[in-house]
Amino acid sequence: MAQATARHILVDNEAKCEELKQQIADGKDFGEVAREHSSCPSGRNGGDLGSFGPGQMVPEFDKAVFNGDVNVVQGPIKTQFGYHLLEVTSRT
């Protein structure tokens, strides 16, 4: 079964998500941005979600994690929780 490790940043609006994505593109560390801005408890760990398989996250997240590029910041991804930036750090 496929497995992935990923980290994410969760915010409550798309504009904030885009702003943070730009900060990362401009060189700010993803983990630092997550610690400063993510409303998810994983934010205190730099957004680290650990390892998981297909079906363990909401469908929008699964699609991005198991189909998107590794080590590329994806998003904004809208889910019932808000807007996410997502970086898949490994996938097997």
Side-chain angles (χ1 to χ4, degrees), residues 27-41:
K28 197 158 186 186
D29 179 70
F30 189 103
E32 182 181 323
V33 174
R35 281 186 286 280
E36 291 175 13
H37 299 282
S38 185
S39 61
C40 181

Side-chain angles (χ1 to χ4, degrees), residues 17-87:
C17 203
E18 290 283 6
E19 175 190 324
L20 297 177
K21 186 175 185 179
Q22 187 60 53
Q23 287 180 21
I24 294 164
D26 290 343
K28 197 158 186 186
D29 179 70
F30 189 103
E32 182 181 323
V33 174
R35 281 186 286 280
E36 291 175 13
H37 299 282
S38 185
S39 61
C40 181
S42 69
R44 65 178 151 257
N45 297 321
D48 185 12
L49 295 170
S51 181
F52 52 91
Q56 290 186 270
M57 301 290 182
V58 294
E60 302 90 342
F61 224 75
D62 254 18
K63 183 178 177 185
V65 168
F66 292 101
N67 295 299
D69 293 332
V70 175
N71 296 318
V72 173
V73 177
Q74 302 176 58
I77 299 167
K78 186 180 186 325
T79 71
Q80 74 235 35
F81 303 105
Y83 292 86
H84 306 259
L85 291 179
L86 172 68
E87 181 184 42

